[in-house]
Amino acid sequence: MFLMAEERRKDVGNREVTDLQMYWTAAAVKAFEMEIIPAERIVAQIGDTLILTCNTTGCASPNFSWRTQMDSPLGGKVSNHRTYSTLTMNPVSIVNSHSYLCTVICDDGEKKEKSVKVELYSFPSDPIIEISPSSVAGEQATVICKIPDVYPSHRLEVFLKKDERAFHEEHFFEDDSINTETKIVTYTFHPMAEDIGKEISCVARLSIADMDFEPKERTSSQKLNANFGPQNTVITASPSNLTMTGGSLNLTCVTQSNPPAQIVWSKYLAEESTQHLIKNNVLSIPHVHFSDSGLYICEVINLVTNKTDKASVDIIIQGAPVITKLSIEPSTTVKEGENVSIQCSAESNPPPDIILRRKSDNANMGPYSSRSILLPSVMFQNGGDYECVAKNKFGSSRREITLNVKSRLEEPVQMIPLIITFSSVAAVVVPAVAILIYVSRQAKINGSYSLVKALRLKV
């Protein structure tokens, strides 16, 4: 139909343009339109930056203006461009909680308007949790939770939790604040020793269901750190408090204390005295002996609470006997008739049975509980090898010693060679002396002395 009605004409450039082409060209020109970006409803956090853009199409030289529905101050900066205008709020504040209207008037006087609602909230950071003071267990402690710069605060909920279990909550439904506020929740309680080290959390929720923002929940935690103890101190013995000689022994002292307690080991001695050992929670003895038996004490002290506690364990070392002494007094060589004491000592647990005997005849001289045997006026036949045998249920131990006597008859026997020698000499000397006496007498009778003559006369 348009082709039947078309009329041809030539332009200056000898181009032929139909009326239909001119119609479609005019129809392609866009109509005057406008929009606001972001559109309709905006959720902004106080302190952030927000830019509203009023954009146009189909208008060569638009004229822009911004205002609030209540004609309040804009609270932002307007910047106009050829086909669009911006309203920048930096930073967003409480005065920006309005519906904003953008008005555009085109060249031909045509006017268009659109509005957008700006809704505000403030939930900028995690809660700040304090537990004041660092107290002693059982005494009063205070948890303080601060939620900074909240808006609207009447939508705020705060929960205090211990290991994910709420023990206190607080709401602010009746708060009618029209600005940001820091809300503080305070709670007082008495922490016990079992609470130490547990997480105390402050959970803050800004519950605005019809507003799209994140996060709507913020959490902060702190471990409960109250000073206490020491208490419930115990000692464990490994492998046991009944240990065989030669084995290893580890004593471990465990206590409940915050801050950690200092530990001192000691061993109870006679007459209510103690021997200090080490400052460590583990006392290790690699090779135990009978002398390691006894009462061990672990004493702990908390230098902050100035409190002490202690625990003890009785260690018993068991094993076969060990002979520690086998002696003869006054000596292993004595004279017949002297008093002799034979002593045998052994250590073991359980205590040993001790037997002293002479090996030659198995003469049994025990058991002798005093571990000391007296032989008054020892006789020659008491000499010989003696043995000490110590026994208990874990085994036995044996040692020998030799007793040597001199008999009382031993001294005359020793004089026999001397007597024989003396007798032999006397047998020769006595006759010679007799002869000399005789010769002397004869010489006196004759008035002169001649040994030769005297001997001849004698002969």
Side-chain angles (χ1 to χ4, degrees):
M1 179 176 180
F2 287 107
L3 291 176
M4 292 176 61
E6 73 174 5
E7 295 180 355
R8 296 180 178 273
R9 60 177 178 170
K10 292 184 179 180
D11 60 9
V12 177
N14 293 323
R15 290 181 299 173
E16 291 186 354
V17 181
T18 65
D19 291 337
L20 182 59
Q21 288 175 323
M22 293 177 63
Y23 172 82
W24 287 115
T25 300
V29 177
K30 290 185 178 180
F32 172 39
E33 297 291 345
M34 69 164 294
E35 64 177 346
I36 294 181
I37 303 173
E40 297 182 358
R41 185 174 180 230
I42 300 171
V43 176
Q45 176 159 251
I46 295 174
D48 289 351
T49 298
L50 175 62
I51 301 177
L52 302 181
T53 301
C54 186
N55 194 34
T56 65
T57 58
C59 182
S61 300
N63 183 24
F64 297 95
S65 64
W66 292 88
R67 65 183 179 88
T68 64
Q69 287 186 338
M70 303 298 295
D71 289 327
S72 300
L74 289 177
K77 180 181 179 182
V78 175
S79 179
N80 293 322
H81 304 272
R82 190 173 69 88
T83 59
Y84 69 94
S85 176
T86 60
L87 173 59
T88 303
M89 307 166 205
N90 184 22
V92 174
S93 68
I94 199 68
V95 300
N96 298 123
S97 182
H98 296 293
S99 291
Y100 285 87
L101 185 68
C102 177
T103 303
V104 183
I105 302 175
C106 200
D107 301 338
D108 58 1
E110 186 178 358
K111 177 181 177 182
K112 288 185 179 292
E113 292 181 330
K114 280 195 175 181
S115 65
V116 63
K117 185 177 181 181
V118 176
E119 296 182 274
L120 303 180
Y121 77 97
S122 181
F123 200 34
S125 60
D126 292 338
I128 300 171
I129 185 171
E130 300 174 357
I131 303 177
S132 177
S134 291
S135 57
V136 176
E139 297 182 1
Q140 180 174 292
T142 302
V143 178
I144 302 173
C145 183
K146 301 177 182 179
I147 304 91
D149 302 324
V150 177
Y151 179 84
S153 57
H154 70 277
R155 308 297 291 271
L156 179 66
E157 300 174 314
V158 179
F159 302 87
L160 296 181
K161 294 183 177 182
K162 180 173 64 180
D163 280 354
E164 299 302 321
R165 295 185 62 183
F167 61 89
H168 180 71
E169 61 182 84
E170 198 162 326
H171 304 268
F172 299 86
F173 298 139
E174 298 180 359
D175 194 345
D176 56 358
S177 174
I178 59 173
N179 209 336
T180 59
E181 283 189 344
T182 295
K183 293 299 181 182
I184 300 176
V185 174
T186 302
Y187 181 76
T188 300
F189 70 114
H190 292 79
M192 304 308 295
E194 56 269 21
D195 295 327
I196 308 306
K198 292 184 177 180
E199 291 278 349
I200 302 296
S201 302
C202 177
V203 181
R205 294 176 187 165
L206 195 59
S207 300
I208 309 176
D210 56 347
M211 290 180 65
D212 186 17
F213 66 90
E214 291 293 339
K216 293 186 176 182
E217 180 176 296
R218 291 183 177 274
T219 303
S220 291
S221 300
Q222 183 175 317
K223 285 188 176 181
L224 189 60
N225 188 33
N227 301 318
F228 69 94
Q231 61 190 29
N232 301 326
T233 305
V234 295
I235 297 175
T236 57
S238 177
S240 169
N241 65 323
L242 294 174
T243 303
M244 297 296 293
T245 55
S248 62
L249 176 65
N250 289 317
L251 301 180
T252 303
C253 184
V254 178
T255 189
Q256 295 177 346
S257 176
N258 189 49
Q262 291 188 355
I263 296 177
V264 177
W265 283 98
S266 58
K267 183 181 179 183
Y268 179 80
L269 303 177
E271 300 177 356
E272 297 185 356
S273 62
T274 57
Q275 174 190 7
H276 292 291
L277 302 175
I278 62 170
K279 294 182 178 181
N280 199 333
N281 69 314
V282 178
L283 173 61
S284 180
I285 305 176
H287 303 286
V288 295
H289 194 263
F290 293 119
S291 59
D292 293 316
S293 294
L295 186 67
Y296 288 80
I297 303 165
C298 169
E299 186 170 8
V300 293
I301 180 170
N302 186 325
L303 298 178
V304 175
T305 63
N306 201 30
K307 294 182 179 180
T308 62
D309 195 20
K310 64 174 61 177
S312 62
V313 62
D314 195 14
I315 297 299
I316 300 174
I317 308 300
Q318 297 182 315
V322 175
I323 296 177
T324 56
K325 179 181 179 181
L326 178 58
S327 65
I328 298 177
E329 298 294 340
S331 172
T332 55
T333 300
V334 297
K335 294 180 181 180
E336 188 177 28
E338 289 187 282
N339 295 331
V340 174
S341 173
I342 302 177
Q343 297 180 358
C344 180
S345 300
E347 62 176 354
S348 70
N349 190 28
D353 293 327
I354 296 178
I355 297 177
L356 279 174
R357 61 190 175 194
R358 190 170 60 183
K359 291 184 65 177
S360 60
D361 54 8
N362 285 334
N364 197 349
M365 305 182 71
Y368 200 77
S369 60
S370 66
R371 302 183 182 187
S372 177
I373 298 176
L374 179 64
L375 299 176
S377 300
V378 67
M379 301 177 63
F380 182 78
Q381 58 266 31
N382 294 134
D385 293 331
Y386 286 80
E387 68 176 358
C388 175
V389 179
K391 297 180 179 180
N392 68 8
K393 67 178 182 179
F394 294 110
S396 64
S397 180
R398 184 187 306 267
R399 280 179 63 181
E400 297 181 4
I401 195 169
T402 300
L403 174 64
N404 299 313
V405 270
K406 296 179 181 180
S407 170
R408 290 184 181 273
L409 298 177
E410 186 173 335
E411 292 182 3
V413 171
Q414 292 175 347
M415 293 295 294
I416 291 175
L418 182 61
I419 294 173
I420 294 174
T421 302
F422 180 79
S423 299
S424 300
V425 173
V428 175
V429 172
V430 170
V433 171
I435 292 173
L436 289 174
I437 294 173
Y438 175 78
V439 171
S440 176
R441 288 178 179 178
Q442 289 295 324
K444 289 180 179 181
I445 295 174
N446 298 327
S448 63
Y449 176 76
S450 173
L451 178 60
V452 174
K453 291 181 178 181
L455 291 174
R456 287 177 180 175
L457 289 174
K458 178 66 180 174
V459 175

